Amino acid sequence: MLVVDSVGIINQAVQFPGENVSGNFLPPAEGALASPAPPAFYVTIVMRPTGVSSFNAFVAFIVGHLVFFAPQIAESLPNSNLIVDGQATTAITTLGFQPNLSGELVPVPADGYSGAFIPNTPIRLEDPQGQVLGALQFIKWQTGGVILMAGKLPLEGMLIFLPNLRPEYTRVVRRPTHQISPVLPISESEFNQFLSNIQARSNIRVRKDVGGIVKQKFLDEGASSPFIARCTLGLLRIRENVLTEQGRRNDFDKRFESAFSALLNAREAGKKLGETWKGHTERVASGVAAQVEGRDIRIHENINKQLGADFESFLNASTRAIKTGVQGICSFLALDIGFLFKKQSAFDANIERLRHTDSALADYLVEVRKWSERLLLLRNNLEHDIWEFPKVGYEIVGDAVRATEPQLSGDKVTALVNFLLDRTLCFFEEIIVHVLQHHLPLGVSVTEIPLSQRSVEAPERFQITPYPGGKPRWKIMYHATRFEEI
């Protein structure tokens, strides 16, 4: 255990498959991790923002050691729970380790972390009358596999159906909700043979057809894309630390999914508009879509309607993303930003009130207003006024034709869309992080990872940090830097 006085501690903790962190990890007893079947558990490195109670945590840790390894003096030791009474229980997990079949503690592979894999569907066990007796689940491990069981059947009684059974394989760990086998030298195919043996050699029915999941492609991008890493994975990691109750988390996720869907649509519409314009200019310049006939120009294709439709889709989707989506998420977390989209007088009055409680957010929204108001005005004009998308222009340059891009208020359409989309992406990420940050448990906050230090596999911008005592706390502040560059 590393103790930073009045700040926090860093130590090892134990976590069992299917559970959260259980408690501190103490040195194992002699032979506890011996092969061929070491117990299945994780050792995680955790940071705890224990503040002024850090020394108490250290003393309680020492007491825990003595209870196990010097039992002859256990009765004279103080109660370790009383030593840390009232201490913050928040823990930030970092790296994880697990025993392999040789009894060595080795790092958990990247695909073994929560969110990086899809767990196998539990297999139901029934009696001849169809009554459920339990459920088995296979978890791939370092150099083998682990079997979890829920229900009233004893897991060791099931493990006798393993091929090449050894006595060590039946050393089951019992937890409040399930039983855990040791690390077994089996693959998933051997687990399926294990199930076949149960079916063939007992009166227990093995039900594999109890449902499943649909694995469907969602996007052509993965977590290595900054957009996906920052606007989904990174935000949802933070929300896990805020919304620990499943019902509340589900409610948040519904709102988040709606907002992100609108953001995706805005991004796709903006991309389509850019591709339509780029393709047309290239075909015009090459002579495929345009010809010079004396002083006249003949254009063989018309993209005005397509550009107008793409622009309208972009305005609708980006407006939904910020006005309905982000505003709804903030409202769910008790932050009202609805005044951002109201008339100037209402906006000014609410900004002054906000300065007394969150001056950084007030300053941020003042700057956001400058571009969001333009976005909403364009959207309102489209809906309420007789408005026509400006047409593409053409001019003769030498022996060729050049297409001139439509403009709105002096800005080229593609540049305007790129600017508004970039601002929308930054707003989406930063406002959601800000409101989640204010609901984090005592002792933790959010820090910004420098661009050069972000993971290639998942370049998230934010992460949880102990506060005080951890990395610098992020503070919301408006910037003009593009989304990809911050």
Side-chain angles (χ1 to χ4, degrees):
M1 175 181 283
L2 173 66
V3 183
V4 182
D5 190 28
S6 300
V7 176
I9 60 175
I10 300 174
N11 72 296
Q12 298 169 330
V14 174
Q15 182 175 351
F16 289 98
E19 299 181 15
N20 294 322
V21 172
S22 296
N24 294 324
F25 176 67
L26 303 178
E30 187 72 26
L33 300 182
S35 61
F41 64 98
Y42 302 100
V43 176
T44 60
I45 308 299
V46 298
M47 298 183 291
R48 302 178 192 271
T50 45
V52 294
S53 301
S54 299
F55 185 75
N56 290 44
F58 168 68
V59 173
F61 193 55
I62 293 296
V63 169
H65 275 261
L66 292 172
V67 167
F68 281 99
F69 299 107
Q72 65 275 16
I73 64 169
E75 292 185 1
S76 63
L77 295 172
N79 187 323
S80 60
N81 291 328
L82 294 178
I83 298 174
V84 294
D85 186 39
Q87 184 182 101
T89 58
T90 305
I92 301 172
T93 59
T94 55
L95 299 176
F97 299 83
Q98 58 187 173
N100 61 17
L101 282 170
S102 300
E104 303 167 318
L105 283 174
V106 293
V108 175
D111 60 1
Y113 285 89
S114 176
F117 73 100
I118 299 176
N120 291 321
T121 303
I123 307 300
R124 200 162 70 190
L125 303 179
E126 299 177 350
D127 66 15
Q129 289 73 45
Q131 296 295 316
V132 178
L133 301 174
L136 293 170
Q137 186 175 14
F138 178 80
I139 298 179
K140 182 182 177 183
W141 207 255
Q142 283 280 348
T143 47
V146 172
I147 299 174
L148 271 62
M149 182 167 185
K152 56 188 178 182
L153 288 175
L155 178 56
E156 56 262 48
M158 294 292 99
L159 294 179
I160 63 173
F161 295 101
L162 283 170
N164 304 316
L165 177 69
R166 298 180 58 156
E168 296 91 342
Y169 296 171
T170 60
R171 295 188 302 197
V172 170
V173 173
R174 284 179 167 75
R175 302 298 297 162
T177 60
H178 57 283
Q179 305 165 64
I180 309 170
S181 78
V183 182
L184 303 169
I186 62 172
S187 63
E188 190 162 3
S189 62
E190 290 169 315
F191 172 74
N192 290 329
Q193 180 60 51
F194 161 69
L195 296 176
S196 298
N197 291 344
I198 295 175
Q199 180 84 30
R201 302 175 188 174
S202 72
N203 64 349
I204 295 176
R205 298 193 304 182
V206 177
R207 287 287 306 276
K208 297 183 181 180
D209 56 338
V210 292
I213 61 173
V214 176
K215 303 176 184 178
Q216 183 176 9
K217 181 179 179 179
F218 180 56
L219 287 172
D220 290 327
E221 297 174 272
S224 61
S225 158
F227 170 70
I228 297 298
R230 291 168 53 182
C231 291
T232 58
L233 182 62
L235 299 180
L236 295 178
R237 284 194 203 275
I238 298 173
R239 78 90 162 84
E240 286 182 0
N241 293 272
V242 172
L243 303 169
T244 55
E245 195 274 313
Q246 191 61 49
R248 286 272 294 170
R249 184 182 293 185
N250 291 342
D251 288 343
F252 174 91
D253 288 352
K254 290 176 183 176
R255 290 166 172 81
F256 183 85
E257 182 179 357
S258 176
F260 183 69
S261 177
L263 192 68
L264 276 178
N265 291 339
R267 188 168 174 257
E268 183 61 31
K271 179 181 177 182
K272 188 176 178 183
L273 184 145
E275 291 173 346
T276 298
W277 172 247
K278 184 175 183 291
H280 181 66
T281 57
E282 291 174 350
R283 291 189 296 272
V284 168
S286 67
V288 172
Q291 291 177 337
V292 178
E293 298 178 347
R295 295 184 177 180
D296 299 328
I297 299 174
R298 182 179 294 276
I299 306 299
H300 301 297
E301 64 182 24
N302 189 331
I303 65 164
N304 290 310
K305 183 177 180 181
Q306 185 61 57
L307 285 178
D310 293 340
F311 188 68
E312 181 176 347
S313 296
F314 169 76
L315 291 180
N316 287 331
S318 53
T319 300
R320 285 200 312 275
I322 66 171
K323 189 176 180 181
T324 304
V326 175
Q327 181 183 347
I329 290 172
C330 290
S331 179
F332 176 75
L333 294 172
L335 174 63
D336 180 16
I337 63 167
F339 60 87
L340 175 63
F341 312 109
K342 294 181 179 180
K343 293 182 179 180
Q344 191 65 41
S345 58
F347 175 78
D348 292 340
N350 281 277
I351 281 292
E352 288 307 310
R353 282 194 287 269
L354 184 61
R355 289 192 190 283
H356 296 291
T357 57
D358 194 339
S359 60
L361 179 60
D363 292 339
Y364 181 84
L365 293 179
V366 167
E367 297 300 319
V368 168
R369 173 84 171 184
K370 295 176 182 178
W371 63 263
S372 63
E373 189 175 29
R374 185 177 187 187
L375 172 64
L376 266 63
L377 183 60
L378 286 168
R379 172 65 183 82
N380 292 339
N381 289 342
L382 187 70
E383 184 174 351
H384 302 298
D385 292 349
I386 301 175
W387 188 81
E388 184 178 1
F389 188 80
K391 291 182 172 58
V392 177
Y394 302 92
E395 59 184 355
I396 299 174
V397 180
D399 296 330
V401 177
R402 181 171 63 192
T404 57
E405 187 174 346
Q407 295 189 8
L408 286 167
S409 304
D411 291 322
K412 293 180 178 180
V413 170
T414 54
L416 177 60
V417 166
N418 289 337
F419 169 75
L420 291 176
L421 176 61
D422 180 78
R423 295 297 86 198
T424 300
L425 292 175
C426 291
F427 177 76
F428 182 90
E429 178 186 36
E430 290 162 356
I431 282 290
I432 294 177
V433 169
H434 179 77
V435 69
L436 287 172
Q437 183 182 36
H438 279 251
H439 288 270
L440 284 167
L442 183 66
V444 294
S445 190
V446 172
T447 189
E448 183 174 8
I449 307 170
L451 188 61
S452 61
Q453 297 177 19
R454 294 175 195 171
S455 165
V456 175
E457 292 79 13
E460 300 166 61
R461 180 182 169 192
F462 299 102
Q463 68 180 19
I464 299 296
T465 184
Y467 180 79
K471 295 182 179 179
R473 188 186 190 196
W474 176 73
K475 181 179 179 181
I476 193 167
M477 182 180 299
Y478 189 82
H479 59 86
T481 309
R482 291 186 57 80
F483 179 82
E484 296 84 1
E485 299 171 355
I486 190 169

